[in-house]
Amino acid sequence: MTTHRKTTEATKDDWRTPHRIFSEWNSRFWFDVDCAADEANALCEKFMAQKPTAHKGYTGNALHDSWEVGAAAWLNPPFSEAGKFAKAAIRNAPLARVVVVLVPSATDTRYWKALAESASEVWMSRGRIKFVNPETNAPQSNNPIGSTIFVLQGHSVRDAFMGFFDAVTGRPCGKFGRAAFGDLTLNIQ
């Protein structure tokens, strides 16, 4: 299968979120768990990894296990598996205090649209994030795509829009309106 994006040896799934970006979001939500990490690159004391480990902070596999109830979760998944992690985030968000997801701005993908429909906030980067190489701790400048941060907490932007539309028009939005809204790209700041 051919993709429209080129990947190279330097495009790695284990790149870390830059400290500046994580700190900004952490100061707002005080994250309890990093849901796509390992013991070498976890940004929280507790983390979820795809491979089990004996590390005391390991709490399970984010793709298969239930996430901690009431927790604030940070998720910067391996970009090659963003769709799988997006499904897990959406499935676990109702039990969490908040789930913040950093993924590629691949607006043409099902996972991006599903996150947009589930999110209470959608933030798009103005440029490409320079993720950190975990081996060298150096920022990498070859990120091939921009990024989106989704905040999954409470009601979604889509639900709020539909409620507003219903209130303004005095009638339910209906199937046509909801389908049309599903094609919109959101950029909320």
Side-chain angles (χ1 to χ4, degrees), residues 73-138:
W74 171 259
L75 176 61
N76 174 13
F79 281 11
S80 68
E81 298 187 83
K84 293 178 187 176
F85 279 90
K87 284 181 184 177
I90 293 166
R91 183 180 68 243
N92 285 283
L95 299 176
R97 181 166 43 93
V98 64
V99 176
V100 178
V101 184
L102 170 60
V103 292
S105 291
T107 60
D108 58 335
T109 61
R110 287 186 186 133
Y111 77 80
W112 195 96
K113 291 175 184 177
L115 284 166
E117 290 179 358
S118 301
S120 56
E121 298 176 38
V122 180
W123 298 74
M124 298 183 83
S125 64
R126 289 201 173 138
R128 295 178 182 175
I129 294 174
K130 292 183 179 181
F131 291 95
V132 179
N133 182 321
E135 295 168 2
T136 65
N137 280 330

Side-chain angles (χ1 to χ4, degrees), residues 162-177:
M162 291 302 134
F164 173 77
F165 184 85
D166 294 350
V168 168
T169 63
R171 57 189 167 81
C173 187
K175 185 177 179 183
F176 175 77

Side-chain angles (χ1 to χ4, degrees), residues 20-188:
R20 172 185 57 81
I21 293 172
F22 177 76
S23 293
E24 187 174 320
W25 289 95
N26 192 41
S27 69
R28 180 173 170 197
F29 293 114
W30 296 93
F31 296 114
D32 299 302
V33 61
D34 185 341
C35 292
D38 60 31
E39 55 192 87
N41 70 5
L43 295 170
C44 301
E45 262 186 56
K46 297 178 188 175
F47 65 93
M48 301 188 87
Q50 288 182 286
K51 296 178 183 173
T53 177
H55 189 276
K56 68 178 183 173
Y58 174 74
T59 62
N61 181 316
L63 295 176
H64 306 294
D65 299 334
S66 294
W67 298 7
E68 186 177 336
V69 174
W74 171 259
L75 176 61
N76 174 13
F79 281 11
S80 68
E81 298 187 83
K84 293 178 187 176
F85 279 90
K87 284 181 184 177
I90 293 166
R91 183 180 68 243
N92 285 283
L95 299 176
R97 181 166 43 93
V98 64
V99 176
V100 178
V101 184
L102 170 60
V103 292
S105 291
T107 60
D108 58 335
T109 61
R110 287 186 186 133
Y111 77 80
W112 195 96
K113 291 175 184 177
L115 284 166
E117 290 179 358
S118 301
S120 56
E121 298 176 38
V122 180
W123 298 74
M124 298 183 83
S125 64
R126 289 201 173 138
R128 295 178 182 175
I129 294 174
K130 292 183 179 181
F131 291 95
V132 179
N133 182 321
E135 295 168 2
T136 65
N137 280 330
Q140 302 298 298
S141 59
N142 55 347
N143 179 5
I145 190 169
S147 300
T148 303
I149 293 181
F150 295 99
V151 178
L152 283 62
Q153 179 181 42
H155 295 290
S156 70
V157 172
R158 179 185 174 122
D159 292 342
F161 178 82
M162 291 302 134
F164 173 77
F165 184 85
D166 294 350
V168 168
T169 63
R171 57 189 167 81
C173 187
K175 185 177 179 183
F176 175 77
R178 291 185 192 279
F181 181 71
D183 293 334
L184 293 178
T185 301
L186 306 174
N187 185 4
I188 299 170

